[in-house]
Amino acid sequence: DAGVTQSPTHLIKTRGQQVTLRCSPKSGHDTVSWYQQALGQGPQFIFQYYEEEERQRGNFPDRFSGHQFPNYSSELNVNALLLGDSALYLCASSPDRGSVAYNEQFFGPGTRLTVL
Amino acid sequence: GNSVTQMEGPVTLSEEAFLTINCTYTATGYPSLFWYVQYPGEGLQLLLKATKADDKGSNKGFEATYRKETTSFHLEKGSVQVSDSAVYFCALSDPFSGGGADGLTFGKGTHLIIQP
């Protein structure tokens, strides 16, 4: 079992550019959540995808958007990058509501985004 | 809204000392509570969880009890080891206040340093 995988590992962009981050969930999981973790802070919830739709959204602007594919993998897109978007972006997956462990989220290693 | 407050770090202890990391929460519904650990250079790992009042989560010698009356979920371990050095995050999910989704709300993290 590969667990949650994310790509790329590191990324450097300049202000105003757009970026796409990718996530493959743990086998058997159908729900994907994205988090932003600034240096020295706890992760902040961006949004969650289930059945290819955004189910819940945190306090992030519309510049942050996402997508979930039929194979449950997901993308996070950020437009018009700002310096403040520099952070570690974490993807987490969880099993469906029928599972005993439905509220346990398994995290990937993250993508480190640097905006210059 | 939901929030999690945990003690500021770093917390420095000697090996075999007793550990307590305080965590209190505010939630509008009936949250599930979690402790996650982040070892240097790695992603977040679920350490333990509790889903209802008076539940005790435990794993790897760590324990935490869900106290509804004090809205707390303090992490404890009787005898810490150097290998326990990491950042510990308290978190909650409150699906009944979030449209049925399970986005986690995290504290800022507590950096634990265990000296030999």
Side-chain angles (χ1 to χ4, degrees):
Chain A
D1 184 359
V4 179
T5 60
Q6 293 186 242
S7 63
T9 305
H10 296 88
L11 204 51
I12 299 175
K13 292 285 188 178
T14 57
R15 280 179 298 174
Q17 285 189 313
Q18 179 264 343
V19 67
T20 297
L21 310 182
R22 296 176 175 81
C23 171
S24 292
K26 185 177 168 66
S27 178
H29 289 185
D30 61 1
T31 302
V32 174
S33 303
W34 287 93
Y35 296 82
Q36 180 194 67
Q37 186 178 18
L39 200 60
Q41 300 295 315
Q44 298 287 315
F45 175 69
I46 303 174
F47 42 53
Q48 183 178 86
Y49 276 84
Y50 173 70
E51 293 188 339
E52 301 180 49
E53 292 192 356
E54 183 182 291
R55 182 161 68 178
Q56 185 189 20
R57 188 178 185 90
N59 189 26
F60 278 80
D62 292 345
R63 297 187 298 109
F64 290 77
S65 63
H67 188 78
Q68 186 179 34
F69 299 93
N71 67 352
Y72 309 123
S73 67
S74 177
E75 288 181 349
L76 164 66
N77 300 293
V78 186
N79 293 324
L81 284 167
L82 304 174
L83 295 179
D85 294 331
S86 295
L88 180 67
Y89 287 85
L90 296 167
C91 171
S93 70
S94 49
D96 65 43
R97 292 293 177 86
S99 167
V100 171
Y102 81 93
N103 62 358
E104 293 183 12
Q105 297 194 13
F106 290 79
F107 283 80
T111 294
R112 173 73 62 187
L113 172 65
T114 302
V115 182
L116 301 177
Chain B
N2 298 333
S3 67
V4 174
T5 303
Q6 57 184 109
M7 60 192 295
E8 298 285 328
V11 173
T12 303
L13 296 173
S14 298
E15 207 166 19
E16 299 184 4
F18 184 87
L19 168 71
T20 300
I21 300 178
N22 291 335
C23 171
T24 57
Y25 68 89
T26 302
T28 55
Y30 301 92
S32 294
L33 302 174
F34 307 84
W35 277 100
Y36 280 83
V37 58
Q38 190 171 36
Y39 296 103
E42 298 184 15
L44 288 162
Q45 300 176 25
L46 177 63
L47 181 59
L48 53 83
K49 73 172 188 178
T51 57
K52 61 183 188 299
D54 299 326
D55 269 1
K56 177 185 282 189
S58 60
N59 187 25
K60 300 181 181 179
F62 290 90
E63 294 183 339
T65 301
Y66 188 143
R67 301 288 189 200
K68 191 171 185 295
E69 63 277 11
T70 55
T71 61
S72 65
F73 193 55
H74 305 322
L75 183 67
E76 297 181 336
K77 186 175 185 183
S79 177
V80 292
Q81 306 299 315
V82 172
S83 58
D84 294 327
S85 298
V87 181
Y88 291 80
F89 292 94
C90 185
L92 69 83
S93 71
D94 190 4
F96 295 102
S97 72
D102 304 304
L104 291 165
T105 300
F106 284 88
K108 292 185 176 181
T110 301
H111 187 192
L112 176 65
I113 301 169
I114 307 300
Q115 296 177 334

